[in-house]
Amino acid sequence: MKLIESHPILEYSHGREVAFTFDGKELKGYEGEPIAMALHANGVQVYRVTPEMKRTRGFFCAIGKCSSCFMVVDGVPNVRTCVTPLTAGMKVETQKDKGRVPLEVC
């Protein structure tokens, strides 16, 4: 992982290192930090592919206001990975369409 380790003004503290998967590959990140940060630190640049134009999207606003970081997390589509904390064992996948949430009929 490639992360900033020191800064002249800001202080950094990381959670514990945890494993998660991205498109079936095991990666490591720090618990509690945004999923997008862990992906970025592991060199992942493409988070989703737009449904109509098939254009790639990745880390952009980093504050949860755009849709560039939408990914499928633990089977749930359209998760804003820039504001969603990483937890151990998460299954993160590139989102390749609009994302469909399965509806349960009662």
Side-chain angles (χ1 to χ4, degrees), residues 1-100:
M1 290 185 297
K2 293 182 180 183
L3 294 173
I4 296 171
E5 295 184 19
S6 65
H7 189 278
I9 299 170
L10 304 174
E11 292 184 26
Y12 293 101
S13 63
H14 296 287
R16 69 184 175 103
E17 190 175 90
V18 295
F20 69 102
T21 61
F22 168 66
D23 288 345
K25 181 180 177 185
E26 186 171 298
L27 301 177
K28 298 215 183 275
Y30 292 101
E31 188 172 54
E33 293 183 334
I35 297 167
M37 177 186 251
L39 292 168
H40 185 76
N42 282 280
V44 176
Q45 295 180 340
V46 176
Y47 293 9
R48 71 185 196 99
V49 179
T50 60
E52 290 83 21
M53 302 293 289
K54 308 297 182 216
R55 294 182 176 158
T56 58
R57 296 290 183 254
F59 206 25
F60 182 66
C61 81
I63 58 172
K65 298 296 180 187
C66 73
S67 60
S68 290
C69 70
F70 278 1
M71 298 185 88
V72 179
V73 177
D74 292 333
V76 178
N78 301 325
V79 173
R80 285 184 164 87
T81 59
C82 71
V83 294
T84 303
L86 180 68
T87 59
M90 272 186 159
K91 181 181 175 187
V92 181
E93 300 169 281
T94 303
Q95 185 162 312
K96 297 182 175 126
D97 58 17
K98 291 182 180 181
R100 307 259 187 263

